[in-house]
Every structure is written in structure tokens, then in C-alpha cells.
Amino acid sequence: MGIVQSETDTEEIEAVPVDPTDLSIVHDPAYVEALQRFCEQGGGSLDADTIASEGSWEAALAAAGAGLTAVARLKEGFGGPAVVSVRPPGHHALANRAMGFCLFNNVAIAAERLRMQGERVCVIDWDVHHGNGTQSMFYRDPGVMYISLHQFPFYPFEGGVADVGEDAGEGSTINVPLPAFTAGDVYREAFDAIAMAGLRSFKPDWVFISSGFDAHANDPLAELRLTEYDYSAMTASVVEAVPADRIVVFLEGGYHLPAIRDSLAVVARTLVGLEVEALPSTHRSPDESHRALERARLMLAPYLNA
């Protein structure tokens, strides 16, 4: 992980592993204990997608602690923003269950710690998969906004546009489900018109980006069609709305190494105000993508200008 201050001024920081007892701010202690025993006994398959080994316990503690370490450094005035480049990812992890390659919910742990301190956090999730774990942890919480743009229907088959939160948290969850083959034209319009409108309405103290790069056109596991420039453009929108030293980017999914490398590089450059070459995309969204965007605009309008 690192704190990026300029093209040549990047402070690399080793994550401080989270104390297992601190995981209980979002995770069931019985789950934490069971996962530790499972790993100590050699690991194996937790579900059809998620495998843990003996070393996964220490890796997961470090990944879960990375966001806390980044926030602490930024609060100390080390500048920013911060990029948390860790594995395993976290946004599918539920309070009591591993899921989708995720053991602990890294972004939720850091967000909940800040919420407990009275600060408002907006989590923007542009991973191609809906972050069902993060949503579930804050679905009734007005202090954390969760915004997700994702391929739908697709794993984990959650995140419908009607899922907007419950009780005091109604309106603090925003989902923009988009069909396969949606490209940057519609995706970025949805990001600016819906995600950024929700962020500005919420007025967060911090923005966390669950930054999976599996919506990239080259990723083999999904069917959205973003490019590096799309990620740069979305990052630029966030930087315009929030101070740079209050932005933390968490690596989530992504299964095409050059796409991850190139996309993360342009995100980092954009975070510190450096120019990114705007190469035109050859991908265009199908008509269904435009219809999905209009449905989302209509249904979410009551929550975007509160």
C-alpha cells in the first residue's frame, strides 16, 4: 500500500495487521475464530469460489489492517491520497461468512472505525461485481453511504436498483445495475449523474473507492467494457468533490494483470492531478444499457438531491 503525493513522491507503507478482536466491529467473533482455526488446520475450500490456506490468516489480517493504517497516516498529515494494494480483496465478505475470494471486508472495517468516531464515509464500488458484503453491513446505517455500479444480472446476483437501504439508512445505498457489454459512454454518465450526485448530497468526510478493475474490457471473468481512461475520468470526478487526503483506494477484483497495472497507474496519476492521455474507446454500449441508466435515474431521483 502507499500514499501518493506526486509522480515521484510516493511513500510505501507496510500495513499493520489488524488485531483479530478489532474485526468484531463488522464481523461475527465466532466467524473470525472459526476462520482462524480453519487456516491453522491447513485451510481448504470455504465455498465454491473461496479457498484459504494456512498463510491466508496472516494475509487477511494484513489486508484488513491496511485501510486502518492508511487512514491513520492520512490523519497524521502525511498527505494523500492513499492506495491500498492488498490481497485478499474484501467487498463480498459478510459479517459471518467468506465469499467471492474475500475473507474479511477490508473497506467496511476502515469505514466502520471512522463512523464510530463520528465521521461520514462514502464507499464507491466500481468493481464489476456488486459488493454485497459492504452493502449488508451498512444497509440500515445513515452514517455510511454505499454506491455500487456493477454488471447485472451477475455474481453475486444482488444490488438491484430498488435496494436503497432500510430504516434510518434509507437512501444511503445506491445501486446502478448495468447489463453486459455496457461501455464507458453509459458507465461514466451513470457515474457522474448518479454516483457523484449521491456523494455530493451525502457530504462525506471520507471517500473510499472499492476499486476492482474487472469491469475492464480485457478482463476475462466479466463483460463490461471499460478502459483505463474511464477509470481516470471517474477518479477525476471524485478528486473534484473531496480533498485528496481524504480519499483511500482499496484494490478489489481484477483478473487481467496488464489491465490492473495500467488502470491502477492512471488512477494514481489522476489522484495527484497529473495528466492522463485520453485515448478514445472503440466500445459502445448497447441500447439496453441506455435503458438501464434511465430506469436507475428515475428510481433513484428522490435520493440524489436530499
Side-chain angles (χ1 to χ4, degrees):
M1 58 172 289
I3 293 176
V4 183
Q5 296 172 318
S6 72
E7 185 173 19
T8 58
D9 189 5
T10 301
E11 180 186 2
E12 293 191 17
I13 302 168
E14 185 173 350
V16 177
V18 68
D19 187 308
T21 60
D22 289 338
L23 294 169
S24 63
I25 62 175
V26 297
H27 287 288
D28 185 337
Y31 164 66
V32 175
E33 294 171 5
L35 181 61
Q36 181 177 9
R37 288 195 302 271
F38 185 79
C39 293
E40 288 175 346
Q41 292 167 4
S45 296
L46 291 162
D47 64 21
D49 303 299
T50 310
I51 298 172
S53 68
E54 185 176 356
S56 295
W57 174 250
E58 295 298 331
L61 293 182
L68 298 174
T69 305
V71 168
R73 283 300 186 100
L74 295 184
K75 282 192 165 189
E76 291 168 3
F78 277 75
V83 175
V84 176
S85 181
V86 297
R87 285 287 187 263
H91 73 153
H92 293 307
L94 299 163
N96 61 357
R97 181 160 63 94
M99 185 176 177
F101 311 149
C102 303
L103 302 182
F104 298 128
N105 198 310
N106 308 322
V107 71
I109 290 163
E112 176 63 9
R113 177 67 62 80
L114 284 170
R115 190 205 63 78
M116 293 168 65
Q117 296 168 356
E119 303 204 55
R120 293 167 67 80
V121 182
C122 178
V123 178
I124 296 178
D125 191 334
W126 63 43
D127 190 282
V128 78
H129 304 97
H130 178 252
N132 57 306
T134 310
Q135 174 176 294
S136 68
M137 290 174 178
F138 300 113
Y139 203 59
R140 295 175 177 82
D141 189 340
V144 176
M145 171 168 273
Y146 177 71
I147 302 173
S148 178
L149 298 89
H150 48 273
Q151 183 175 333
F152 186 87
F154 202 52
Y155 182 90
F157 304 100
E158 298 185 34
V161 69
D163 297 336
V164 296
E166 291 180 352
D167 303 328
E170 182 177 352
S172 62
T173 294
I174 294 175
N175 283 300
V176 186
L178 297 166
F181 309 113
T182 297
D185 51 358
V186 168
Y187 197 105
R188 283 189 284 110
E189 184 178 355
F191 190 85
D192 288 335
I194 298 176
M196 290 305 301
L199 183 153
R200 287 189 292 268
S201 176
F202 186 68
K203 298 180 176 62
D205 300 301
W206 294 77
V207 172
F208 291 169
I209 301 176
S210 271
S211 183
F213 293 114
D214 39 8
H216 193 284
N218 292 340
D219 194 275
L221 295 191
E223 298 164 307
L224 296 191
R225 296 292 181 259
L226 301 190
T227 67
E228 297 93 297
Y229 175 67
D230 296 318
Y231 291 112
S232 173
M234 293 187 295
T235 303
S237 295
V238 175
V239 170
E240 289 177 1
V242 184
D245 63 355
R246 291 298 180 265
I247 300 173
V248 183
V249 176
F250 291 73
L251 185 62
E252 297 282 3
Y255 309 97
H256 186 276
L257 292 180
I260 297 173
R261 177 198 63 206
D262 296 343
S263 299
L264 187 57
V266 300
V267 166
R269 288 179 60 85
T270 305
L271 284 169
V272 294
L274 297 174
E275 287 190 21
V276 172
E277 185 178 5
L279 296 175
S281 174
T282 59
H283 302 286
R284 293 293 179 269
S285 300
D287 290 344
E288 176 54 27
S289 299
H290 293 272
R291 290 192 290 268
L293 172 56
E294 290 311 308
R295 286 195 296 270
R297 282 186 198 262
L298 180 63
M299 294 188 66
L300 294 170
Y303 303 105
L304 299 180
N305 298 295

